[in-house]
Amino acid sequence: MKISVFRIDDRLIHGQIITDWISYANATQIIVADDIASNDELTKTLLKMATPDNVKLHIVKICEVKAIFDNDKSDEKVLLLVRSPKSAYDIIVSGVKPDSINVGNMNMKKDKIKILGNMWVFPEDIEMFKKIDELGIECSVRAISNERKQDVIKLLEKI
Amino acid sequence: MIKIILSTHGKMAEGMVNTMQMLIGKEYNVDIIPFFEDTDAEDLENKFKKEISKMQTYENLLILCDLKGGTPFNIASKVSFKNSKIAVLYGVNLPILIEALTTYETQEFSEYIKNIEKNIYATLGVSKV
């Protein structure tokens, strides 16, 4: 399998994924890489419920992502979803390297800094985005695929 | 008693209520829980939980959502998980909203849900003319 879209989105599977990103990615499979979700039966059931019937869903721990790609050398396209820049960085460091990363929704929470209406970051998120950038992987914000890409590093320079 | 909530992305819920009232009258109403681009998912979850906490022991709840896998559907499914007093429908359209609002008084909850599920398919099609 090959990564078609690697997305950071703290809502994981939701409307924009169902109606836009699965078809944009031409994905037959979704990998949700999340240590909390992979250990929680309710979250797993809800993610399965949200996934279209013709898409195969894997819910795995961050450390298990590399093995999935190692064990499947097919050309099947995958939409890889993580909740945070930290998870994305950990996956990259484990040896799974995307060309670029799409940033979707990072919800407002206490102590977060506003970057865009749908992008709020903790200081540690900023550090992670910088580390991903240092590895030569471009991160850009697009809630849906036909929006204009906004470079994350340039957005972070403005704060 | 059956209570109905309509929960959609954007202004669809508000628009559906407006159109529904144009067709069957202003005496019909339904509570809406809309989800906008800047709505926090936790806020949405709290709104559902508040509605559920208001339910009386004899009451049932039907939540009508727009899209399977969308945030309103995901959160409605989460807050009603394994609760047989609540049903969550996805793919709501105007005829099914009207059916839900006009038939709930005469039926028992499980039968009501079964009928709605059955009838939603009859509301869809392509004109053969």
Side-chain angles (χ1 to χ4, degrees):
Chain A
M1 50 175 71
K2 292 194 159 58
I3 297 175
S4 181
V5 171
F6 187 146
R7 178 169 167 104
I8 298 170
D9 190 326
D10 58 18
R11 284 183 212 149
L12 298 174
I13 300 173
H14 62 100
Q16 291 164 348
I17 306 296
I18 303 298
T19 58
D20 181 31
W21 288 101
I22 292 173
S23 59
Y24 175 86
N26 216 352
T28 54
Q29 307 198 32
I30 293 176
I31 298 174
V32 171
D34 191 71
D35 291 349
I36 297 168
S38 69
N39 272 318
D40 183 66
E41 287 308 316
L42 172 60
T43 307
K44 283 205 270 194
T45 305
L46 292 168
L47 286 166
K48 277 178 208 153
M49 223 187 262
T51 306
D53 295 339
N54 58 352
V55 175
K56 190 172 177 203
L57 174 67
H58 310 260
I59 304 166
V60 297
K61 293 194 188 82
I62 300 293
C63 64
E64 292 168 340
V65 175
K66 174 81 164 59
I68 292 189
F69 285 95
D70 287 346
N71 293 333
D72 183 340
K73 297 291 176 198
S74 72
D75 286 330
E76 280 210 44
K77 290 180 177 163
V78 174
L79 172 57
L80 175 56
L81 292 172
V82 297
R83 228 188 271 261
S84 68
K86 167 88 167 75
S87 298
Y89 178 75
D90 289 345
I91 289 171
I92 295 163
V93 170
S94 79
V96 176
K97 289 213 164 59
D99 299 329
S100 61
I101 291 179
N102 164 245
V103 181
N105 300 287
M106 297 179 70
N107 275 343
M108 179 176 62
K109 281 203 176 79
K110 198 175 168 285
D111 300 328
K112 274 187 164 186
I113 305 154
K114 184 181 179 178
I115 307 296
L116 295 167
N118 63 340
M119 187 188 179
W120 294 69
V121 292
F122 287 118
E124 55 265 36
D125 293 328
I126 298 174
E127 289 315 305
M128 284 299 151
F129 278 124
K130 284 181 180 161
K131 285 169 99 167
I132 294 170
D133 183 64
E134 280 163 15
L135 297 171
I137 294 163
E138 176 216 67
C139 292
S140 59
V141 183
R142 266 193 303 172
I144 52 174
S145 62
N146 62 6
E147 268 179 4
R148 185 175 57 90
K149 283 187 191 178
Q150 299 194 68
D151 186 86
V152 169
I153 296 299
K154 281 186 188 146
L155 289 169
L156 294 177
E157 279 167 4
K158 288 182 196 161
I159 35 176
Chain B
M1 220 185 115
I2 298 169
K3 186 181 163 62
I4 302 165
I5 294 174
L6 179 59
S7 183
T8 71
H9 292 80
K11 290 186 179 170
M12 180 176 165
E14 185 190 326
M16 284 183 86
V17 170
N18 180 282
T19 308
M20 172 276 289
Q21 290 180 335
M22 181 182 145
L23 293 165
I24 59 170
K26 285 216 181 346
E27 66 270 31
Y28 288 95
N29 208 351
V30 59
D31 285 339
I32 64 169
I33 299 185
F35 178 65
F36 296 104
E37 271 168 28
D38 57 356
T39 307
D40 183 40
E42 272 174 43
D43 284 348
L44 195 74
E45 188 170 328
N46 288 334
K47 279 186 187 145
F48 276 116
K49 282 183 175 161
K50 204 171 148 197
E51 287 299 327
I52 291 168
S53 71
K54 281 194 283 187
M55 279 169 72
Q56 308 289 323
T57 48
Y58 57 89
E59 268 185 326
N60 290 104
L61 176 64
L62 170 63
I63 306 171
L64 301 168
C65 302
D66 50 357
L67 182 72
K68 182 182 178 234
T71 304
F73 169 85
N74 291 345
I75 293 184
S77 302
K78 184 179 175 186
V79 297
S80 63
F81 193 67
K82 292 198 169 160
N83 184 337
S84 60
K85 291 176 69 183
I86 306 175
V88 180
L89 171 143
Y90 56 83
V92 67
N93 61 21
L94 189 63
I96 218 68
L97 171 64
I98 290 172
E99 176 174 336
L101 286 170
T102 53
T103 63
Y104 72 90
E105 279 173 333
T106 56
Q107 298 177 76
E108 193 247 323
F109 189 60
S110 62
E111 184 195 0
Y112 168 74
I113 297 302
K114 221 182 279 172
N115 281 328
I116 285 179
E117 192 179 8
K118 191 174 76 190
N119 293 342
I120 194 161
Y121 298 101
T123 68
L124 311 170
V126 178
S127 168
K128 299 290 187 297
V129 181

